[in-house]
Amino acid sequence: NTLTTTAKTIPEAINELKSGVEGITVPTKVSELTNDSGYITRSDIPAMKPEVICTFTDAYTQWCKGEKFPIAFFGDSTIDGNTTTGYVANTLGKDSTSTNTFCNVLQSLLREECGNSVLRIYNAGFSGLTLPWAVANFDKEFGTGTAYSDAKMIGIGFGINDRLAYDDLNAYREGVKTNLISLINKCYEKRIQPFLLTGQATLECGVQSDYTSTFPLRDSNSVNIANNEIRRELAKEYGLELIDISDYTKIYLENSLEDSNNITTDRLHFSDIGHKYEAGMIFAHIVPRVIEVEGNEECLITYANQNLKEAIPEEKISYGGKLKTYAQYTKSDS
């Protein structure tokens, strides 16, 4: 196959793609490269795929050791916390000051779980912005001298606002895929482990009449087909961890006893209670000892459960017999 590029020689382009990344497979066909960064802009060419840098379990064990080990969530207003109490829009390169976002609540839950007051969850959400903007501003948020330059893992969101730029699902899907691959590559170049986030579930069964001609994809179905499905596919293809926020928040909206107007006041952004739910849901994905129970299933936690952390001291347990285990306590024991 013939390699072509308009701005670089072939060796320069290939070396730029290889730079800082071990074990990648160089594409055998490159039909388009950007002039400045060397990033592939064709979505049919794979993202760089080095060995796994770290996992959620690595983060958990580092936190239990007392390390900061920051994880960032990079996305739009659904991460930024627009409509939460005390919301303050984020500024590029600065630490978030909003207090009721899922990032802040998640950080509190994890600090309690790990007994660690220094671990960090970074809120890198930016209201109204898109994946192309994220690619262009990645270094301004995570580069040297920024508040989040030490991030170890980045959850890649965005994509809900991108639908406003396209007239058909295929173009929307290809745009999301291309820009996700660019963000994945940027993470690997900085030795940051990327993981993927689907978009928060929205209550938009159809396109609002006033926007039908101007924004034909302004509905939940378009987001799910073009934005969420491509993340599920890329997570499998590149071995990336995925938090399916869309699926879990859909279940929450359908089954919560809370009035849906209290969860989301505008059918798009979650309020404080919605962010609190998301924090717990993401906690369950990150912390390896969480036990998941589906539907009305009863959950009996027994002595053989491998996720127990704090229970009856081992010296107080006797094993064997029809009851399997016995606790050796008397009335005088404290």
Side-chain angles (χ1 to χ4, degrees):
N1 294 326
T2 301
L3 297 174
T4 61
T5 176
T6 58
K8 302 183 191 311
T9 66
I10 292 171
E12 288 174 339
I14 296 302
N15 286 335
E16 192 164 315
L17 286 170
K18 285 183 175 180
S19 178
V21 182
E22 297 295 329
I24 68 167
T25 300
V26 179
T28 58
K29 180 179 180 183
V30 178
S31 59
E32 186 179 348
L33 294 171
T34 64
N35 289 337
D36 296 322
S37 67
Y39 282 104
I40 298 167
T41 58
R42 282 273 305 278
S43 63
D44 59 338
I45 298 177
M48 298 177 185
K49 189 182 177 184
E51 295 180 4
V52 174
I53 299 169
C54 56
T55 66
F56 289 147
T57 302
D58 291 322
Y60 181 75
T61 56
Q62 288 292 311
W63 291 330
C64 290
K65 196 175 81 169
E67 298 294 329
K68 181 181 179 182
F69 204 92
I71 292 181
F73 288 81
F74 192 31
D76 52 35
S77 57
T78 60
I79 290 174
D80 192 17
N82 197 328
T83 75
T84 59
T85 303
Y87 164 71
V88 179
N90 285 334
T91 302
L92 269 172
K94 305 294 184 181
D95 198 2
S96 172
T97 59
S98 297
T99 57
N100 288 289
T101 65
F102 76 75
C103 290
N104 200 58
V105 178
L106 174 62
Q107 178 176 276
S108 296
L109 292 173
L110 290 169
R111 285 182 171 184
E112 180 180 0
E113 161 69 19
C114 299
N116 179 344
S117 62
V118 301
L119 74 82
R120 285 302 312 272
I121 300 297
Y122 291 153
N123 182 332
F126 295 90
S127 293
L129 295 175
T130 62
L131 281 162
W133 178 91
V135 173
N137 289 277
F138 185 89
D139 289 337
K140 294 178 182 178
E141 183 68 356
F142 300 105
T144 303
T146 65
Y148 297 161
S149 62
D150 61 347
K152 301 294 185 184
M153 303 178 74
I154 295 177
I156 302 173
F158 291 103
I160 293 178
N161 295 315
D162 295 61
R163 61 188 172 163
L164 305 183
Y166 300 100
D167 293 326
D168 65 81
L169 280 173
N170 185 65
Y172 181 15
R173 174 184 167 87
E174 285 300 306
V176 168
K177 184 176 182 180
T178 295
N179 286 290
L180 280 176
I181 289 173
S182 289
L183 285 175
I184 291 168
N185 289 342
K186 281 182 173 290
C187 287
Y188 283 143
E189 283 193 337
K190 289 186 178 296
R191 297 297 296 166
I192 299 171
Q193 177 65 51
F195 61 97
L196 300 179
L197 312 169
T198 57
Q200 177 185 293
T202 65
L203 298 176
E204 300 171 298
C205 299
V207 181
Q208 197 168 330
S209 299
D210 292 344
Y211 300 116
T212 303
S213 58
T214 309
F215 304 120
L217 304 180
R218 201 171 184 266
D219 62 277
S220 302
N221 175 63
S222 297
V223 174
N224 195 49
I225 290 176
N227 186 54
N228 296 336
E229 279 301 318
I230 198 65
R231 293 164 197 268
R232 296 173 183 129
E233 293 168 15
L234 288 178
K236 292 179 180 178
E237 186 174 352
Y238 299 130
L240 299 177
E241 292 184 286
L242 170 75
I243 300 180
D244 200 336
I245 294 177
S246 176
D247 189 47
Y248 279 90
T249 50
K250 176 185 74 70
I251 294 171
Y252 176 58
L253 286 165
E254 290 174 342
N255 296 284
S256 174
L257 296 179
E258 189 68 47
D259 189 318
S260 60
N261 289 319
N262 293 334
I263 299 173
T264 172
T265 57
D266 61 3
R267 303 187 305 283
L268 175 61
H269 301 96
F270 274 18
S271 61
D272 293 7
I273 191 170
H275 273 263
K276 184 177 180 181
Y277 165 79
E278 288 181 303
M281 177 267 293
I282 296 171
F283 177 94
H285 279 76
I286 294 176
V287 177
R289 71 186 197 89
V290 170
I291 301 169
E292 184 171 338
V293 181
E294 296 183 4
N296 295 321
E297 176 185 347
E298 293 184 3
C299 181
L300 177 63
I301 300 177
T302 71
Y303 75 100
N305 190 286
Q306 301 298 293
N307 294 314
L308 293 180
K309 181 180 179 182
E310 297 177 0
I312 298 171
E314 176 66 18
E315 67 271 14
K316 292 288 186 181
I317 296 289
S318 290
Y319 298 97
K322 292 183 178 180
L323 293 178
K324 298 289 188 181
T325 56
Y326 298 83
Q328 299 176 23
Y329 280 92
T330 65
K331 289 182 179 180
S332 62
D333 285 335
S334 58

